[in-house]
Amino acid sequence: MRTLADIATGLRLVIAAYIIYAGVQLGAESFAGVAAATLIGWTLDTVDGHLARAASDSQPSWLGARDRYIDTVMVVAGFIYVT
């Protein structure tokens, strides 16, 4: 379970990078893709939280310990896109 949670967390970093790329390089015409990516990213955040809590070991992984920072990156990526 912990591995799946880490994969979901890592995918959110990739999604945040895409959102920043789309905002800087593609502009407003990428809105539909960015909206879909944002929905997928925050859904993965919910899924990763459930998977991490369901894991049998109590110590978070390296990515799991940085989950809040990755959430912040997602929020900042959205602000960068909107700007």
Side-chain angles (χ1 to χ4, degrees):
M1 292 286 191
R2 178 82 54 201
T3 303
L4 291 175
D6 286 345
I7 290 170
T9 302
L11 283 174
R12 285 186 314 158
L13 279 175
V14 172
I15 288 171
Y18 166 73
I19 292 170
I20 293 170
Y21 167 79
V24 172
Q25 295 295 321
L26 304 177
E29 64 268 3
S30 65
F31 179 76
V34 168
T38 301
L39 287 172
I40 292 168
W42 289 118
T43 301
L44 284 173
D45 183 39
T46 303
V47 169
D48 121 4
H50 289 294
L51 290 172
R53 283 187 291 278
S56 59
D57 54 347
S58 62
Q59 292 294 346
S61 65
W62 186 85
L63 274 176
R66 286 149 183 84
D67 186 62
R68 287 186 182 178
Y69 301 116
I70 294 170
D71 291 345
T72 304
V73 170
M74 282 285 295
V75 170
V76 170
F79 283 135
I80 289 171
Y81 177 78
V82 170
T83 302

